[in-house]
Amino acid sequence: MLFKPSFAAILASLASVEVANAWFRLPCTKPMVQERVDPIISPGQVSQHLHSIHGGNNFSMNLTYNTLRQSTCTSCQVAQDLSNYWTPTLYFKDPTTGQFEKVPNGGLLVYYQNRGSADVSNGGKGLTAFPAGFRMITGDPRKRSKLYTEGLGTQAELAERAIKSSCLRYGSGNNGYDFYGFPTTDCEAGLNSRLHMPACWDGKNLDSPDHKSHTAYLSGLDNGNCPSTHPVALMKLFYEVTWDITGFASCWKGKPWPFVWSNSDPTGYGWHGDFFNGWDVPTLQNAIDHCNQTPDQLAGVFTACPYFTIIPASTTQACRAKTTEVVEPINGPMAKLPGCNPLQYGPGDATLYSTANCPI
């Protein structure tokens, strides 16, 4: 039943998307593992909801920079990058049976963007590579509605603006569109879920109790200045995951939007992402400082940077986690989402349940 475009075809289609202007675009093929593990939010324990995880295969509940650097393969195509990148997983809820089925995706595309007034292209002193042990998140799995007027410019509003996606419809005769939350139509060329990471750091803490306070967004989100409280300018990460939802179109034609995030979210506002740095730091700093000269480098072609060892997609496609720590049904069809995730429609923040206080 499912339509499964090739990863190469999805990358080719994304080249025409407006936000594709970047310093380099790092392709990560299909998820290296999908499981309820989140070493940033829930270190050492089972996570509240299912994630799709990309990158170094030594991913675990007790992840550290040193253990991540011991990965023997990565699902991303630069060998010096053993970072992990993860997001929630999309499910289709059949409007007739109520059963959940995991939706396939074409992989993760990570844009490493040289944004902000600190970048040398904007007359600044230059950007800093992520330090060893650095981690960050964007978005909020509890969020179920939009709260702020766009353009307000506060950190809270910027965080909300960072989670905005696109319904890709080219080739269908229909116009695509961007949106907050979820779209309302089929997206024949894919549901292109996007997020911006913060690009400013306090220069001291590799993490913070809320996993956010040590970082901040640029004043214009995609450009601008770092606040004085977070003076260290980093590369800005931008994630894209294209979900193949059109294969389910015949099952819900004429009915309400049927897709949900694995974190009990039928609204789309709870989309979020995590990053745990696993780069060889000198390599990334050399790339930042020197791979910004040739036309291909300036166009964001990652293979044009001589500091990178490029891994063929056929190799990264075969990379799998050394260990799957949480083994449970995740594919479906099944009666409920993995973990304790009864759907919560908002508009107030959702409750993130554990198995100990699960109401279902």
Side-chain angles (χ1 to χ4, degrees):
M1 178 184 73
L2 297 179
F3 168 65
K4 297 183 179 179
S6 70
F7 183 70
I10 286 176
L11 290 187
S13 68
L14 289 178
S16 64
V17 176
E18 181 180 357
V19 295
N21 181 29
W23 183 68
F24 69 86
R25 296 180 293 275
L26 175 63
C28 302
T29 48
K30 64 183 180 181
M32 176 263 304
V33 68
Q34 291 177 299
E35 60 179 344
R36 283 194 296 128
V37 173
D38 187 332
I40 296 179
I41 303 297
S42 306
Q45 56 188 304
V46 177
S47 173
Q48 195 272 336
H49 55 271
L50 188 76
H51 297 100
S52 294
I53 300 127
H54 303 262
N57 74 332
N58 212 22
F59 179 81
S60 74
M61 294 181 186
N62 297 298
L63 194 63
T64 69
Y65 177 77
N66 289 334
T67 59
L68 191 49
R69 290 297 303 166
Q70 293 169 16
S71 296
T72 55
C73 69
T74 173
S75 62
C76 304
Q77 287 189 247
V78 171
Q80 291 83 0
D81 178 25
L82 297 176
S83 303
N84 283 135
Y85 312 83
W86 63 95
T87 67
T89 303
L90 189 68
Y91 279 85
F92 170 71
K93 183 183 181 185
D94 192 300
T96 302
T97 67
Q99 297 279 299
F100 295 92
E101 185 173 348
K102 186 161 61 70
V103 179
N105 70 68
L108 169 70
L109 191 60
V110 183
Y111 295 69
Y112 275 73
Q113 298 174 316
N114 55 332
R115 299 290 202 260
S117 58
D119 185 59
V120 292
S121 66
N122 292 324
K125 295 181 180 179
L127 305 179
T128 300
F130 304 115
F134 179 81
R135 64 212 71 178
M136 61 180 168
I137 65 175
T138 189
D140 185 343
R142 302 167 301 173
K143 194 171 179 63
R144 294 295 182 270
S145 60
K146 192 174 186 301
L147 300 177
Y148 301 100
T149 301
E150 188 164 344
L152 187 63
T154 64
Q155 284 293 312
E157 186 273 323
L158 290 165
E160 185 174 83
R161 204 192 317 167
I163 310 298
K164 188 176 184 180
S165 298
S166 187
C167 183
L168 306 180
R169 311 196 75 182
Y170 37 76
S172 70
N174 298 306
N175 292 326
Y177 55 94
D178 296 342
F179 57 87
Y180 291 102
F182 273 139
T184 56
T185 67
D186 186 24
C187 303
E188 292 86 351
L191 170 61
N192 186 233
S193 299
R194 304 170 177 174
L195 57 82
H196 299 261
M197 284 284 181
C200 305
W201 177 42
D202 66 11
K204 302 174 183 178
N205 300 293
L206 300 177
D207 196 4
S208 50
D210 64 356
H211 313 294
K212 294 182 178 182
S213 299
H214 62 303
T215 63
Y217 296 95
L218 290 166
S219 59
L221 182 63
D222 198 39
N223 228 316
N225 303 314
C226 284
S228 60
T229 52
H230 296 76
V232 180
L234 308 169
M235 292 294 286
K236 188 175 81 64
L237 300 185
F238 178 80
Y239 292 8
E240 285 187 335
V241 182
T242 301
W243 304 89
D244 308 330
I245 68 168
T246 200
F248 297 92
S250 63
C251 300
W252 66 283
K253 187 175 182 180
K255 299 176 182 178
W257 175 262
F259 297 93
V260 302
W261 293 124
S262 54
N263 49 298
S264 71
D265 179 18
T267 71
Y269 291 102
W271 170 245
H272 57 283
D274 300 55
F275 169 72
F276 198 115
N277 181 38
W279 274 95
D280 175 74
V281 177
T283 297
L284 181 57
Q285 191 63 61
N286 276 326
I288 291 170
D289 294 340
H290 304 297
C291 290
N292 54 6
Q293 306 296 324
T294 70
D296 277 352
Q297 290 171 354
L298 293 172
V301 179
F302 77 107
T303 57
C305 181
Y307 293 94
F308 294 162
T309 302
I310 307 303
I311 308 172
S314 58
T315 300
T316 59
Q317 188 89 348
C319 183
R320 291 293 177 268
K322 288 184 178 181
T323 305
T324 301
E325 295 177 291
V326 182
V327 179
E328 61 185 338
I330 63 170
N331 292 324
M334 53 195 183
K336 65 184 188 71
L337 295 170
C340 180
N341 284 288
L343 297 184
Q344 299 178 66
Y345 291 82
D349 284 354
T351 299
L352 300 183
Y353 294 105
S354 67
T355 52
N357 68 347
C358 187
I360 58 172

